[in-house]
Amino acid sequence: MTKASSKRATPPPGDAADFVQLLTPDGERVSHPDYSVDFNDDELRGLYRDLVTVRKLDAEATALQRQGELGIWASLLGQEAAQVGSGRALREQDMAFPTYREHGVLYCRGIDPIMPLGLFRGVDQGGWDPIANKFGIYTIVIGAQTLHATGYAMGIAKDGKVGTDEGEAVIAYFGDGATSQGDVNEAFIFASVYNSPIVFFCQNNQYAISEPLTRQTRVPLYQRASGFGFPGVRVDGNDVLATYAVTRAALDNARHGNGPTLVEAYTYRMGAHTTSDDPTRYRVAGEIEEWQAKDPISRVRKLLERENLADAAFFTEVDAQAKVEAVELRERVLALPDPDPSEMFKHVYPHGSPEVDEQAATFAAYHASFEGAQH
Amino acid sequence: MGETLTLGKALNLGLRRAMEDDSKVILMGEDIGKLGGVFRITDGLQKDFGDERVIDTPLAESGIVGTAIGLALRGYRPVVEIQFDGFVYPAYDQIVCQVAKMHFRSRGKVRLPMVIRIPFGGGIGAVEHHSESPEAYFSHTAGLKVVACSNPSDAYWMIQQAIASDDPIIFLEPKRRYWEKGEVDTAEELSVQEPLHSSKVVRPGTDVTVLAYGPMVRTALDAANAAAEDGRSLEVIDLRSMSPLDMGPVYASAKRTGRVVVVHEAAGNLGMGSELAARITEECFYSLEAPVLRVTGYDTPYPASRLEEEYLPDLDRVLDAVDRSFGW
Ligand SMILES: Cc1ncc(C[n+]2csc(CCOP(=O)(O)OP(=O)(O)O)c2C)c(N)n1
């Protein structure tokens, strides 16, 4: 991926830089005084492929849930650009702390999309190595990960790994609802007073389950940052180019030792909160249609078509390839084995515990007694 | 006249009746308005009582409980919904340091008549933090009262009693039993119901006393049915109140049967069973034929949902404990 403009994402509070957009819903490129991207044609096509693939894999997971193969699924539908744009903006050395919905970021990190599926199937609770993957364990308790991200960023600064192009940065994902949590506000404070290399990336998808944004805030969320002493910027979260540019600039700003930024990616959750949710109970009429017109994928397609960067064969091939990946994902989900019950006693403590070990032994003996009885 | 209601619907009607009876009763929580709560326990209440009384709050549990304290000080009777057991912990400080101690600190000058409703326990195939059993944390805290309903009739009456109570009450709802049906005589008066903090023999028996509450009452009753086929008579007591414990019926039963099994989903270590075993031993030592045995969740984090059936006490594990009691 190419570099975005590394101009600082520091619009003073209340400045005109209210809403950064580089690609309109009609697929027209627009310029912005502070942000730009210089993707080549291949890279633009690559972004389109990412968006389509991420949506396809997500749809497959929704289908798997409907068929009883997953216990629940938190769909990212509608938020593809926010996730692909920010995910691709991360550099190799950067660390991400996700919620439970960042499947698109995970994909862009080059991580196997099967990785979080065990959690949703109910066979594990994540189980991946957050350090090795540079991608934290999915966090369901709203907002908690923003503090972990901040502490990790504090550690980067302590290690002296800021101040150069090779510096490290952290990105913390959270939703609009999460901004009400004490943890998130505390994370802002810690990051601010320690000038930590972190980007707070809020996907404002307009809802926290059924509650609209007005239940969480009276001011645009990005403006909160100024009260904490660092810049905030609102980007069109359905615009992959703008999201990339803004996130890249904020991350580079952080890695160079200039402290935190709050990025508010203004987007919309097109699907249900999770497969357990019934959005017909709270959606406002016309909303879906309004956001449909701002779809993150179709605007990139329009751009590619307008600028003759891709032909029909390309689009067909992208769809076909995404389908191949989805089918493969499905097969691998179906093959995920149920864990052995003894797993539950493992990893409670790094060096075990005589009490838990004893319970594991009793558990095994109890189950063995049934097997004996059957013969 | 009895009505057949699910436990969830019984709670909904109980809340409705409490709101009709006292205009100071207000409901607060995440998604409880238009959505009616993720379990629909407050379904239709915002429509009928308005958004000044059924309040969708910001997504902040410490904020919800903390502001409920202020509203209670101002004369309201807040009923707070915590969306899932695992999300009560951000409010833990407010509950333990403030809710529990305000009356004591003011030397009785103020009361906090608030109810904190928590859907608790596992068995619904959920992801992590959605299947916790936090009752012991709260029961360990002086100044709080802790109750759990197990059936629709109790749900209907206990929620009203909790709201009418001058104490702050942690009201635990067995989420996996929300859809189970039972008879509720809604025409009765609240004043004639048995006290909120009373335990109740829900199935008389002679051989072994089984103590349970919340979701495990059904499990204990199923075990009693199965044991009866083997000629063993289990007496099942629904404790209903974890704090204070109503030990009278428990001691009476233990002295008759000489054998006690306690069942709960929460981990065994320092769980309700530990306290029950200690008290029964102190009070009924010479009547006991066997130690009080516990059937509980293991001392591990609640496992991934595909393992929850292995983790949760079930009929077989209760019967196994009954066997062990007899084998003593
Ligand atoms: C501490 C806590 N409280 C409540 C919940 C239940 N819950 C899960 S997701 C959610 C809404 C989150 O909204 P938002 O932060 O906007 O993120 P989104 O899901 O829209 O991406 C709630 C209330 C939770 N997971 N954690």
Side-chain angles (χ1 to χ4, degrees), chain A residues 151-366:
Chain A
Y152 193 93
M154 287 162 63
I156 291 174
K158 280 193 195 309
D159 292 344
K161 293 286 166 62
V162 286
T164 67
D165 286 351
E166 280 67 50
E168 296 178 38
V170 177
I171 190 163
Y173 287 92
F174 54 102
D176 43 289
T179 62
S180 293
Q181 282 288 5
D183 278 8
V184 174
N185 289 274
E186 291 171 26
F188 289 170
I189 290 166
F190 276 69
S192 174
V193 301
Y194 295 116
N195 199 40
S196 307
I198 184 167
V199 175
F200 293 107
F201 193 90
C202 177
Q203 285 169 84
N204 174 2
N205 65 9
Q206 313 300 330
Y207 282 97
I209 309 187
S210 72
E211 296 193 11
L213 190 63
T214 47
R215 278 284 136 260
Q216 320 291 345
T217 189
R218 279 169 62 162
V219 299
L221 290 173
Y222 78 93
Q223 286 183 4
R224 293 238 183 118
S226 72
F228 290 94
F230 53 87
V233 52
R234 178 183 269 179
V235 62
D236 181 349
N238 284 17
D239 172 354
V240 70
L241 303 185
T243 305
Y244 177 92
V246 165
T247 313
R248 189 33 88 90
L251 285 165
D252 285 348
N253 197 41
R255 85 179 76 259
H256 282 104
N258 299 321
T261 301
L262 170 62
V263 175
E264 177 191 358
Y266 203 76
T267 180
Y268 188 78
R269 193 191 78 214
M270 292 297 284
H273 168 72
T274 66
T275 44
S276 307
D277 178 39
D278 173 12
T280 61
R281 283 188 165 242
Y282 54 81
R283 286 264 199 247
V284 175
E287 222 172 53
I288 290 275
E289 294 73 17
E290 180 194 328
W291 282 91
Q292 196 89 56
K294 303 179 197 166
D295 183 67
I297 300 185
S298 64
R299 68 176 78 184
V300 180
R301 184 178 176 130
K302 283 178 195 157
L303 169 74
L304 296 179
E305 285 170 345
R306 165 171 301 131
E307 300 193 356
N308 277 323
L309 302 179
D311 55 13
F314 168 78
F315 294 119
T316 311
E317 184 272 326
V318 167
D319 287 343
Q321 182 56 31
K323 189 162 181 204
V324 168
E325 289 187 37
V327 168
E328 193 192 327
L329 183 69
R330 156 174 296 266
E331 281 161 6
R332 292 169 69 205
V333 166
L334 299 185
L336 280 178
D338 275 358
D340 189 87
S342 65
E343 281 300 312
M344 117 181 122
F345 299 98
K346 293 179 187 158
H347 310 296
V348 182
Y349 304 96
H351 305 294
S353 137
E355 289 173 335
V356 175
D357 294 349
E358 199 182 306
Q359 286 185 16
T362 309
F363 176 87
Y366 170 71

Side-chain angles (χ1 to χ4, degrees), chain B residues 281-305:
Chain B
T281 308
E282 286 167 4
E283 198 65 28
C284 310
F285 189 68
Y286 289 108
S287 309
L288 293 179
E289 304 286 342
V292 177
L293 297 178
R294 291 169 292 169
V295 182
T296 69
Y298 299 103
D299 294 320
T300 70
Y302 197 87
S305 63

Side-chain angles (χ1 to χ4, degrees), chain B residues 222-236:
Chain B
D222 290 347
N225 278 337
E229 286 169 25
D230 294 341
R232 272 189 186 145
S233 165
L234 309 192
E235 175 148 300
V236 179

Side-chain angles (χ1 to χ4, degrees), chain B residues 4-295:
Chain B
T4 305
L5 299 173
T6 63
L7 194 152
K9 185 65 187 171
L11 286 167
N12 176 269
L13 292 180
L15 288 168
R16 176 178 288 279
R17 185 150 156 188
M19 294 187 79
E20 284 164 357
D21 289 351
D22 184 347
S23 64
K24 291 292 186 189
V25 174
I26 55 174
L27 312 188
M28 306 168 68
E30 295 158 8
D31 305 288
I32 68 167
K34 255 191 189 176
L35 191 66
V38 295
F39 291 108
R40 308 291 186 262
I41 304 303
T42 56
D43 194 20
L45 297 180
Q46 189 183 63
K47 193 167 140 279
D48 294 345
F49 293 97
D51 58 10
E52 286 289 328
R53 291 189 69 195
V54 180
I55 303 166
D56 266 337
T57 65
L59 206 180
E61 289 77 9
S62 181
I64 298 171
V65 173
T67 55
I69 293 173
L71 283 155
L73 290 173
R74 184 71 195 177
Y76 288 90
R77 299 183 93 83
V79 182
V80 160
E81 174 172 302
I82 300 292
Q83 199 163 80
F84 281 91
D85 34 54
F87 309 136
V88 72
Y89 303 119
Y92 195 65
D93 165 64
Q94 287 289 345
I95 296 173
V96 170
C97 297
Q98 306 300 332
V99 174
K101 298 180 175 64
M102 193 68 83
H103 187 254
F104 189 76
R105 286 163 60 222
S106 72
R107 306 315 296 154
K109 293 185 189 60
V110 291
R111 296 169 175 174
L112 291 183
M114 54 191 278
V115 177
I116 301 174
R117 295 180 37 238
I118 310 175
F120 86 123
I124 63 161
V127 289
E128 55 183 347
H129 315 300
H130 292 71
S131 306
E132 308 263 302
S133 296
E135 60 272 21
Y137 298 133
F138 298 116
S139 302
H140 193 65
T141 302
L144 299 176
K145 292 191 173 175
V146 184
V147 301
C149 55
S150 69
N151 62 73
S153 181
D154 277 3
Y156 179 75
W157 295 112
M158 287 171 76
I159 189 64
Q160 293 180 62
Q161 291 173 318
I163 293 170
S165 166
D166 285 334
D167 291 300
I169 295 195
I170 306 290
F171 192 92
L172 299 166
E173 302 172 1
K175 70 168 83 80
R176 71 158 127 162
R177 309 292 182 205
Y178 273 146
W179 300 273
E180 290 187 8
K181 290 183 178 161
E183 288 290 297
V184 185
D185 194 346
T186 54
E188 285 181 6
E189 287 302 315
L190 186 60
S191 55
V192 306
Q193 304 305 316
E194 55 253 284
L196 178 59
H197 300 289
S198 60
S199 58
K200 206 158 72 173
V201 175
V202 288
R203 177 182 169 119
T206 52
D207 296 339
V208 183
T209 303
V210 181
L211 306 178
Y213 52 87
M216 285 292 105
V217 174
R218 162 68 34 225
T219 306
L221 288 169
D222 290 347
N225 278 337
E229 286 169 25
D230 294 341
R232 272 189 186 145
S233 165
L234 309 192
E235 175 148 300
V236 179
I237 297 183
D238 182 351
L239 292 169
R240 302 191 340 137
S241 178
M242 276 82 264
S243 179
L245 284 164
D246 176 24
M247 294 302 288
V250 175
Y251 294 150
S253 178
K255 283 177 181 165
R256 265 189 290 109
T257 64
R259 301 178 196 280
V260 182
V261 171
V262 189
V263 192
H264 54 67
E265 291 188 14
N269 185 30
L270 292 173
M272 293 307 303
S274 312
E275 180 63 24
L276 288 159
R279 291 202 202 179
I280 293 164
T281 308
E282 286 167 4
E283 198 65 28
C284 310
F285 189 68
Y286 289 108
S287 309
L288 293 179
E289 304 286 342
V292 177
L293 297 178
R294 291 169 292 169
V295 182

